[in-house]
Amino acid sequence: MKVLKAIVLMALFCVVGSASFADEAEDVIKKFCGLDVPEYSKATMILDIINKNGSTEQREMIEYGSGYNVLKNVVFDIQKDTSKKYTNVRVLQAEKTNKEDDRWIYEPSLRNVRRIQTGERSSSFIGTEFTYNDMTIRKPEEDTHEMINANDSITINGTTYSCYQIKSVPKKKNDIEYGYRICWYDKKTYLPVRMEYYDKKDPKLLMKSFVIEKIDNVKGVTGTPYVLRRSCLITNHITGRKTRVSVKDFVFDNEKIVNKKIFSTNWLLTGK
């Protein structure tokens, strides 16, 4: 396992006309979604919510990940929240073979675990500018993909990236909150360094944008190299709100840090 599925992308390009462009875009997405993840991972993440008026909120959560038995599972455990609304909320995302992924949430105020229904997945993830849909990678077959520019460039915080620019349109319009997205994939690290989400009714209306602010080359405990999104920023262009996600610390490839029982609704309920 050489690379993190959620943060890397490999791609090829050849110029043969518009049909080939579509094939190449599909190939890029399949390679991205098909990459392995560590069997075990743990990271502390800081989420800073910046309101339009400048006021801020902060949440701190632990993310547990598992690529055990090929399927990818993630748990988010909110440890601290300055707004006090989401402290001890826990969310499980479990990948399924040939089925829609499962999402479950534990809400301390209700003292129960419930399944997040498909219609709720366009709603805010713990009060941030991310939705539940944003927290997972869409399967290649869920969208149609088009190579817009195979030799594009984009500058973020003074760093210029040579990129593949790809447009992806959801096949099932009601399952997602946007009309289409455009992504720029850095050719050196293969990370999607910028993503833009456009409105369903007005295709020129930019709803949200996502950028990677800082990239680090890191290693797991076994020495396996990874490319880590150390800091990311998502901006809601409709409300003016922003959310910055920063990784404070992490451990990859250490089976002692992640008990497989974590990836269950029982652990969501009990925390043990």
Side-chain angles (χ1 to χ4, degrees):
M1 291 173 286
K2 300 281 185 183
V3 286
L4 283 176
K5 171 189 174 185
I7 59 176
V8 291
L9 171 68
M10 296 187 68
L12 299 172
F13 170 71
C14 62
V15 181
V16 191
S18 60
S20 181
F21 265 51
D23 292 341
E24 285 297 334
E26 182 81 14
D27 187 53
V28 166
I29 303 301
K30 286 182 178 179
K31 289 177 183 296
F32 171 55
C33 294
L35 295 175
D36 291 331
V37 301
E39 288 192 9
Y40 310 96
S41 64
K42 179 181 178 182
T44 299
M45 308 180 78
I46 305 299
L47 296 92
D48 291 302
I49 296 93
I50 306 163
N51 296 307
K52 187 176 181 179
N53 63 7
S55 63
T56 61
E57 300 173 16
Q58 188 177 86
R59 323 227 198 285
E60 180 175 325
M61 69 182 183
I62 297 178
E63 180 188 28
Y64 300 95
S66 171
Y68 178 76
N69 198 27
V70 180
L71 295 177
K72 288 79 179 175
N73 302 301
V74 179
V75 163
F76 302 101
D77 184 8
I78 290 74
Q79 304 279 299
K80 301 176 183 178
D81 174 22
T82 57
S83 74
K84 309 298 183 183
K85 296 178 183 178
Y86 301 98
T87 305
N88 296 324
V89 168
R90 292 185 278 268
V91 177
L92 166 65
Q93 297 182 163
E95 188 176 46
K96 301 294 183 181
T97 303
N98 299 322
K99 293 182 181 180
E100 186 178 71
D101 296 349
D102 270 344
R103 295 175 176 90
W104 300 82
I105 185 169
Y106 167 68
E107 299 171 295
S109 60
L110 301 178
R111 296 185 179 181
N112 74 342
V113 175
R114 67 177 182 83
R115 189 174 186 271
I116 300 172
Q117 301 298 322
T118 300
E120 299 178 79
R121 298 179 183 185
S122 296
S123 61
S124 170
F125 173 77
I126 61 169
T128 70
E129 294 315 298
F130 291 94
T131 66
Y132 286 96
N133 285 325
D134 292 331
M135 304 307 290
T136 57
I137 295 176
R138 289 176 60 79
K139 295 179 175 63
E141 62 272 18
E142 293 179 304
D143 305 318
T144 57
H145 309 284
E146 177 186 357
M147 182 74 74
I148 302 299
N149 191 337
N151 294 287
D152 203 3
S153 64
I154 191 168
T155 300
I156 301 171
N157 291 346
T159 300
T160 299
Y161 302 92
S162 177
C163 299
Y164 299 100
Q165 183 188 15
I166 295 176
K167 178 180 179 180
S168 298
V169 182
K171 293 179 180 177
K172 295 183 178 180
K173 308 299 183 182
N174 294 331
D175 290 352
I176 204 74
E177 63 273 16
Y178 56 85
Y180 66 94
R181 69 184 187 275
I182 295 178
C183 300
W184 284 260
Y185 296 100
D186 174 39
K187 292 183 178 181
K188 182 177 180 181
T189 63
Y190 303 109
L191 293 175
V193 292
R194 181 175 178 88
M195 293 186 284
E196 295 181 348
Y197 303 84
Y198 288 84
D199 187 63
K200 290 182 178 180
K201 294 182 179 179
D202 182 357
K204 294 183 179 180
L205 178 61
L206 176 61
M207 297 173 57
K208 295 192 303 183
S209 61
F210 170 93
V211 296
I212 299 178
E213 297 181 307
K214 185 178 180 181
I215 297 171
D216 277 347
N217 294 309
V218 301
K219 291 184 178 180
V221 297
T222 60
T224 302
Y226 298 102
V227 182
L228 176 67
R229 292 183 289 189
R230 179 70 73 173
S231 177
C232 303
L233 179 70
I234 188 166
T235 301
N236 187 320
H237 295 276
I238 306 301
T239 66
R241 295 180 85 235
K242 301 178 181 180
T243 298
R244 175 172 284 110
V245 181
S246 306
V247 178
K248 187 166 68 174
D249 51 54
F250 62 90
V251 180
F252 298 145
D253 302 326
N254 185 347
E255 61 181 311
K256 295 180 180 179
I257 63 171
V258 180
N259 190 319
K260 295 174 187 176
K261 293 180 180 179
I262 289 175
F263 306 101
S264 68
T265 54
N266 183 65
W267 190 90
L268 291 187
L269 181 64
T270 63
K272 57 184 181 180

